[in-house]
Amino acid sequence: MSAYLYFDAAASAPPCKQAIAAAEQAYTEYANPSSVHKAGLAAKRMLEHAREQVARAFRCETQELFFTSSGTEANNLILFGLAAKRARVSRKILTTDSEHPSVGEPLKRLEAQGFRVVRISTRGGRLNTEQLRAELEEPVAFLSIMQANNETGALYDIRAVRELLDECGSDAPLHCDAVQGFLKTEDGSLSSLCDFATLSAHKIGGIKGAGAAYLSSKAPHIPALLLGGGQESGMRSGTENVAAIAAFGAAAEAVCSDSGHVRRVGALRGQVIDGLAGSGILLHLPENALANILHISIPNVPSSWALNFLSERGICVSAGSACSAQGRKKGNRVLSAYGLPPQEIETSLRISFSEQNTKEECALLCKALRDCADWKK
Ligand code: PLP
């Protein structure tokens, strides 16, 4: 058992041993992958091997994957690229009311530049496809709809979005932020449903400092955001972080080759759901949810108190997402969109699981959460 009881994998998952080994090996291949000498070529080989591994896991072609420094960067690249490409067709963008800030903030900037951004409701963790259908009656520049919400774990129906686009005869490209959903569901068909997608290494057992943008070969070509030496086929200049990318590839392969992974993590979540029965703790359970995220509210116990209480027992969870923890207002936006009343938002906690959690840890977590709830009764 580690020094902590770590239930914050949706913020950063613990790196798997294959990822650590790949990063260590990459540190010994320290040359610049753009250099054409032997050492540079060795680093380049590691990079291309990782691209094959991530492409296999996401079920796309290697030429469709472009490494970035993070999911945030990939989201910015795709959104600003799509806006530049499609502004002449339409200045209307469709998204949801619960996107991660790395989608929400770029879209706010585009709004300030004259785009009209329509945020489709995700109340109860369900994407409102009727509202989406109505919005598709006029030309749309592009859509950006996340696969799974980072705070509630709700899975949005991307297949239904694709079907709606086809039904309406819309040619608007569909971007999907798959940072939380990648390799966390048993359905691996996302690449066939969207035109653009965003992935991040540190959510799947890789290490921080690598992400990827999926740009389908069938989708319109978008301009790059970072200009310079022309790395990543000109889509993302800047020397690649070979160690983080190698770890990304190794983690993707490790998860992908383990078919029981989603079921095992789901069983841990199920154990905690069962273990909290009768405790008075409120469970926010979307109809379709990721196997690794559980959102709860402990009546009368503000999130910050609960975090401290749990932290004293060595238990790490989040109040909302890590990105919103610095400004609770942003967390409120997502949870309000879900439909939680203020008193449930102020007392909410996100518990997120990884393959490295054990049943014993989950039992200790349930006991601590029950004690925390009793403390304020
Ligand atoms: N999108 C979602 C849904 C996320 O949860 C996160 C991070 O939590 C990001 C994007 C940003 O990814 P990164 O941390 O790699 O920048």
Side-chain angles (χ1 to χ4, degrees):
M1 203 182 278
S2 74
Y4 319 111
L5 298 187
Y6 188 75
F7 289 99
D8 202 14
S12 270
C16 64
K17 58 180 189 307
Q18 293 89 334
I20 294 171
E24 278 170 359
Q25 197 197 337
Y27 283 129
T28 66
E29 300 290 359
Y30 46 78
N32 190 319
S34 295
S35 296
V36 290
H37 47 61
K38 233 175 161 182
L41 292 177
K44 177 86 176 160
R45 264 197 304 277
M46 297 196 96
L47 202 63
E48 294 315 317
H49 179 54
R51 200 183 313 277
E52 282 162 20
Q53 291 169 308
V54 179
R56 209 171 303 126
F58 191 61
R59 300 195 195 167
C60 70
E61 300 297 326
T62 49
Q63 317 83 271
E64 297 177 309
L65 264 192
F66 300 85
F67 288 120
T68 61
S69 65
S70 61
T72 297
E73 188 194 321
N75 276 338
N76 276 260
L77 161 68
I78 294 169
L79 297 171
F80 288 121
L82 275 170
K85 184 77 189 177
R86 298 273 303 172
R88 255 182 283 154
V89 179
S90 163
R91 292 179 80 79
K92 175 174 172 178
I93 299 170
L94 300 183
T95 186
T96 77
D97 56 4
S98 52
E99 295 294 318
H100 186 267
S102 58
V103 168
E105 294 299 315
L107 291 184
K108 272 193 210 157
R109 181 172 291 180
L110 291 173
E111 218 165 15
Q113 292 170 1
F115 282 86
R116 186 157 69 87
V117 178
V118 179
R119 296 172 178 83
I120 307 293
S121 164
T122 55
R123 205 172 178 79
R126 234 191 93 258
L127 181 72
N128 186 331
T129 45
E130 284 317 304
Q131 189 189 355
L132 187 61
R133 181 192 298 275
E135 293 296 345
L136 282 170
E137 274 169 18
E138 49 185 19
V140 164
F142 64 89
L143 299 86
S144 181
I145 297 182
M146 70 195 325
Q147 181 188 16
N149 187 269
N150 46 298
E151 303 202 30
T152 62
L155 272 163
Y156 301 152
D157 192 348
I158 302 299
R159 185 174 297 279
V161 178
R162 176 84 272 159
E163 283 168 4
L164 261 183
L165 286 169
D166 293 346
E167 208 180 297
C168 301
S170 170
D171 69 343
L174 171 60
H175 165 241
C176 191
D177 176 351
V179 165
Q180 290 293 342
F182 180 42
L183 296 175
K184 303 281 174 28
T185 70
E186 282 174 351
D187 175 5
S189 60
L190 191 74
S191 57
S192 66
L193 301 175
C194 62
D195 306 291
F196 295 84
T198 298
L199 312 177
S200 176
H202 69 115
K203 312 291 186 180
I204 63 155
I207 58 178
K208 293 166 199 65
Y214 160 70
L215 316 182
S216 162
S217 53
K218 297 190 202 96
H221 180 76
I222 57 168
L225 189 63
L226 297 185
L227 304 179
Q231 289 89 342
E232 294 298 297
S233 310
M235 280 314 300
R236 197 278 183 182
S237 287
T239 303
E240 297 91 340
N241 183 347
V242 180
I245 291 171
F248 189 10
E253 185 172 284
V255 182
C256 203
S257 57
D258 174 4
S259 58
H261 165 85
V262 174
R263 191 178 32 77
R264 283 197 304 279
V265 172
L268 297 172
R269 178 177 178 270
Q271 182 192 337
V272 173
I273 291 175
D274 293 345
L276 296 180
S279 63
I281 293 173
L282 304 173
L283 306 175
H284 308 302
L285 301 175
E287 200 177 304
N288 283 312
L290 287 174
N292 66 320
I293 294 184
L294 175 62
H295 211 103
I296 63 170
S297 296
I298 308 181
N300 306 319
V301 183
S303 310
S304 56
W305 294 23
L307 284 182
N308 286 336
F309 182 94
L310 295 170
S311 185
E312 278 180 14
R313 295 186 180 199
I315 297 175
C316 307
V317 300
S318 277
S321 74
C323 302
S324 66
Q326 276 127 34
R328 290 293 294 152
K329 259 181 134 178
K330 285 180 184 164
N332 291 353
R333 173 185 56 81
V334 172
L335 299 177
S336 305
Y338 185 83
L340 295 190
Q343 67 275 19
E344 290 180 21
I345 293 174
E346 284 151 21
T347 57
S348 80
L349 293 179
R350 180 187 69 181
I351 300 162
S352 50
F353 304 86
S354 78
E355 183 73 17
Q356 297 190 21
N357 291 123
T358 63
K359 287 185 187 164
E360 293 70 34
E361 289 180 346
C362 289
L364 289 170
L365 171 69
C366 289
K367 163 91 174 69
L369 289 169
R370 284 175 164 277
D371 290 348
C372 187
D374 287 344
W375 181 44
K376 268 287 178 161
K377 265 183 189 161

